[in-house]
Structure formats: structure tokens, C-alpha cells
Amino acid sequence: IEASTEVLRIRMRCQFARGVLINDRFGPVNRVAHQALAEAVHLAGTIKDSALLVEALIRLCIVKYNSGDFSAAGQVAGQLLSFGQQNANARAAAIGMVSTGMCSFAIGQFAEARSRLEEALGLLDRGDERADAYEGMALAYLALTAHILGSTDEASHLCALAVKHARGCNASALATALGNSLYLHCMRGDVDQVRRTCEELVRLAQ
């Protein structure tokens, strides 16, 4: 007997919650989290639950990226981007574009990363506030990309924008922005700025 839509919906929500909780507790290296979120994506597509499909794709992309599986993360990000573009979902399109840019950066495709991250910032300008945290990520990765490509002044400007943006969000977003900025300061050999940033991170953690 074919499972009813409601049964599938319950299973979808359970798998989504399971994947999120396992990842939060054990980290992205636990493959059960990947499997649970992937099933949530599949079930959401089956019953056409667009809202949960987007959330499950975002979570799955994060888990794949943080586990170092950048190829798989890029595929999931591509799904998210395509869904957003095909369904006029600005949030999904913007986050999908940021994520594809991050994946391009992670595998050393810096010119492609720059193009995708710049496009992502344009999409974020037209998106909704629920994607706001990803603007900081796009700015931070674009700063690192610009530095690697030789645009050091632009990189410094973008990094400052990323931290400024994060100060208007929450403590977690600020900690992420400051942490990302450390990579740039280290690459530039700016020991004093590294020290100041680390001191601010310590204060945030207290």
C-alpha cells in the first residue's frame, strides 16, 4: 500500500530534524546526518513541500561543505540554485549562488568563485532578510578570493564590509566574520590585526 502524503510528510520532518540534531551533536563527519538530510530532500521533492525542500538543501549543503566534500556540496548548491531560479525563490537562489561560489573557492577555481560571489551579492540585494547572514559569507569569501587574485586593497575593503555587516546581525555571525577575517590578516602578515581580532573573539566567547 502506497504511503499516504501525511505519512511521508511526518517522515520527512523526522529525517530533517534527525539530520540537524546529529550534525549539531556529532559534527559533519557523521554520515548518518548526510543520509537523513538527503532523505528529507527526496521526500520533500516527492510531496512537493517547497519550504522544507529549501531548508533541507541548505542544511545538506552546509554538512557536505563542512565535511570537506566540496564536490558533493557543489552539487547540492546547484540544486538549490536551480530550484530558486525556476520557482522565483529569491532566498534559495541567493543562498545557492553563495554556496556554489564557496565551493568554487574551496577547490581553487578562484575566477569562477569571484564571478559567482559577485552575482550572489546582487541576488542578496533583491532577496529577503532570511538570507541576510549569507551576505556576510559572500563578502568574506569574495575578500579572500580578491586577495588571492591580487586585488589586495579590494580584499581589505570587502573584509571590513563583511565584519561591519556581521556587527548588525548576531554574535554567531560576528564570530564567523571575525574568524574568516583572520585568514586574510594572516595572508597579509598583519600580526597586530590578528592579535586584535583574536582578542575580540575571546571577548565574544566569554
Side-chain angles (χ1 to χ4, degrees):
I1 300 174
E2 186 176 352
S4 69
T5 298
E6 187 57 28
V7 170
L8 292 176
R9 190 180 305 279
I10 292 170
R11 180 170 180 81
M12 172 193 70
R13 290 172 176 165
C14 287
Q15 289 295 82
F16 177 75
R18 182 169 174 249
V20 170
L21 289 171
I22 291 172
N23 178 64
D24 288 347
R25 177 66 179 84
F26 300 105
V29 296
N30 190 301
R31 303 306 299 179
V32 176
H34 298 239
Q35 294 162 5
L37 289 168
E39 184 172 355
V41 168
H42 172 72
L43 291 169
T46 299
I47 64 175
K48 295 180 171 52
D49 187 325
S50 298
L52 199 134
L53 175 61
V54 170
E55 298 308 314
L57 283 169
I58 291 171
R59 287 284 188 164
L60 183 59
C61 185
I62 291 170
V63 170
K64 295 289 187 187
Y65 189 91
N66 288 340
S67 72
D69 192 348
F70 304 122
S71 177
Q75 291 176 7
V76 177
Q79 287 181 259
L80 183 61
L81 175 59
S82 295
F83 179 87
Q85 292 173 332
Q86 294 168 11
N87 295 275
N89 187 314
R91 178 169 177 265
I95 294 175
M97 187 64 79
V98 173
S99 300
T100 58
M102 290 169 58
C103 290
S104 294
F105 175 90
I107 61 176
Q109 296 178 349
F110 301 118
E112 181 177 296
R114 180 177 188 126
S115 175
R116 291 184 180 278
L117 291 166
E118 287 176 342
E119 187 171 352
L121 287 171
L123 291 172
L124 286 162
D125 283 342
R126 303 191 297 273
D128 63 46
E129 61 185 15
R130 293 176 302 158
D132 199 44
Y134 277 80
E135 183 174 347
M137 294 296 291
L139 287 166
Y141 273 82
L142 187 55
L144 294 171
T145 302
H147 179 85
I148 290 168
L149 293 175
S151 301
T152 54
D153 289 342
E154 180 188 7
S156 297
H157 175 66
L158 289 166
C159 182
L161 285 178
V163 173
K164 180 180 179 181
H165 177 272
R167 293 192 191 283
C169 300
N170 53 41
S172 177
L174 179 55
T176 298
L178 290 170
N180 285 330
S181 74
L182 280 174
Y183 293 110
L184 181 62
H185 301 322
C186 287
M187 286 191 291
R188 296 180 60 193
D190 191 340
V191 177
D192 290 338
Q193 187 57 56
V194 168
R195 184 181 296 110
R196 287 192 294 270
T197 301
C198 288
E199 288 172 351
E200 184 170 1
L201 282 167
V202 169
R203 290 195 297 273
L204 274 176
Q206 291 174 339

